[in-house]
Amino acid sequence: ATLLPAAVAVAALLQLAPGLPRRLDEAWHAGRLAAAERARWDELVARFDALPQPVLCEIDGLTALGGRPPAILDTWLFSGLIDRGVFDDRAIRSALKEQRFGSVVLRLPVPGVRRYGSTAYVPRAWLDLIGRHYEPAGRLGEFHVYRPRPELPVGSAVRTDR
């Protein structure tokens, strides 16, 4: 009778997905995996800090860990505040339009930025300005980097009749 609860516990542990051996293996290697993840983030943060400044960044982890003062944290929160009319984002829109951000970092390319519920992760007006005044400049890990789009020299015109 005293062995029955132990046998039931062992049987239950063996039924757990992904299985006891795999769980023990993951626990054994957790420190090494954490170190690898820390190294990956250290490399991303170093590359982030090397981007032309200031950086408007959607990824709070990079912004918070970076060595420079953030332009803004939590773009999703501020997007909701803008939707509610309690945050005036004219300064950010103006900076985007005037290409005062040296870099912009987004999780997804401008056309792919999503909404969560009724709020965009990055305000739509900001994305429109990024799309018009910035161009893709590569990747930072899985993130998308934009840089100011070269403006046409004054007096030059683009022909649209061809």
Side-chain angles (χ1 to χ4, degrees):
T2 59
L3 293 177
L4 184 59
V8 170
V10 168
L13 282 174
L14 292 174
Q15 296 300 316
L16 290 175
L20 183 60
R22 183 167 166 204
R23 285 179 187 257
L24 291 173
D25 184 58
E26 288 173 355
W28 182 261
H29 297 293
R32 187 174 42 130
L33 294 173
E37 183 65 13
R38 264 193 312 277
R40 184 181 83 82
W41 270 94
D42 288 347
E43 189 260 334
L44 279 176
V45 169
R47 289 178 50 208
F48 175 78
D49 283 344
L51 290 173
Q53 301 290 318
V55 179
L56 177 64
C57 183
E58 176 189 8
I59 296 83
D60 295 333
L62 286 174
T63 305
L65 294 172
R68 309 276 176 116
I72 194 166
L73 278 172
D74 202 345
T75 58
W76 180 49
L77 170 69
F78 281 95
S79 185
L81 295 174
I82 293 164
D83 291 348
R84 297 291 225 168
V86 295
F87 177 71
D88 182 0
D89 69 330
R90 283 182 288 189
I92 294 173
R93 286 184 283 124
S94 176
L96 286 168
K97 185 175 183 179
E98 295 169 12
Q99 298 180 325
R100 285 186 273 146
F101 288 108
S103 308
V104 176
V105 180
L106 301 172
R107 289 185 190 283
L108 297 169
V110 169
V113 175
R114 302 179 306 254
R115 297 180 72 77
Y116 180 79
S118 63
T119 302
Y121 283 100
V122 177
R124 183 82 251 156
W126 299 7
L127 293 172
D128 291 343
L129 289 166
I130 294 165
R132 281 196 303 253
H133 299 285
Y134 292 77
E135 65 185 10
R139 303 285 291 266
L140 181 67
E142 65 267 26
F143 309 122
H144 299 265
V145 178
Y146 290 82
R147 66 173 178 230
R149 187 181 304 278
E151 298 294 327
L152 292 173
V154 176
S156 64
V158 176
R159 293 193 61 178
T160 59
D161 59 341
R162 289 188 179 189

